[in-house]
Amino acid sequence: MEPMNKRALSFLMCGALTLSLATPALAVEDLSGHWAKDALETWQSYGVLRGDENGNIRPNSSITRGELAVILDRVMEYQVKAANRFTDLNSSWYTDAILGAAAAGILVGYEDGTVKPGAAITRQEAALMFARVLDLDTQGAPSAGYQDQSSIGFWAVGAV
């Protein structure tokens, strides 16, 4: 896939995933009747979304930092992996994706040396990761004027 196609694909995925992060968590076993059914099935057909251990796509459930790293890696195909300096990252199904995203500067850990791969990703963290994938200038971005604007961390305002 050419870089521009990856960039466009990442942008579209960004929108779909960001919208899904804004919905409350409900345990949905399949996509029947879901508002994003067509888009999610498209991503599934590309192999970007593969579902849980039973193959179910759960669009209203939170995703973890590790899961988002895997999704981005499936699109961007990171070739370089960072050395594992995260104290909480052991050998797991998402390890290579996290290390690839870390090497690309997309995913950074916390000050305590962890990356928290099993923690639900926040809207702020997801927005910042997508902004980094798309190489957006978040420093000069205006405030979006969200109702919860005051709860957005200073480090993510431009990305959100």
Side-chain angles (χ1 to χ4, degrees), residues 30-61:
D30 62 35
L31 299 176
S32 299
H34 193 274
W35 63 269
K37 180 180 186 287
D38 292 341
L40 294 169
E41 286 177 343
T42 298
W43 288 114
Q44 191 174 24
S45 73
Y46 290 142
V48 173
L49 300 178
R50 296 188 184 155
D52 63 16
E53 62 276 357
N54 297 317
N56 294 320
I57 303 293
R58 299 167 60 93
N60 293 321
S61 295

Side-chain angles (χ1 to χ4, degrees), residues 57-78:
I57 303 293
R58 299 167 60 93
N60 293 321
S61 295
S62 297
I63 65 171
T64 66
R65 292 170 52 84
E67 289 168 338
L68 185 55
V70 169
I71 290 168
L72 291 174
D73 187 55
R74 289 178 183 153
V75 174
M76 302 305 292
E77 299 175 343
Y78 297 117

Side-chain angles (χ1 to χ4, degrees), residues 59-118:
N60 293 321
S61 295
S62 297
I63 65 171
T64 66
R65 292 170 52 84
E67 289 168 338
L68 185 55
V70 169
I71 290 168
L72 291 174
D73 187 55
R74 289 178 183 153
V75 174
M76 302 305 292
E77 299 175 343
Y78 297 117
Q79 301 299 309
V80 177
K81 309 294 183 216
N84 186 0
R85 293 187 173 92
F86 302 115
T87 59
D88 62 341
L89 183 61
N90 301 314
S91 182
S92 188
W93 61 274
Y94 47 68
T95 300
D96 281 348
I98 288 175
L99 296 176
I106 305 304
L107 178 63
V108 297
Y110 294 91
E111 290 178 359
D112 65 359
T114 62
V115 69
K116 300 179 183 169

Side-chain angles (χ1 to χ4, degrees), residues 128-143:
L128 192 55
M129 287 175 68
F130 283 117
R132 289 173 178 156
V133 165
L134 298 170
D135 196 26
L136 300 177
D137 175 16
T138 60
Q139 299 303 313
S143 169

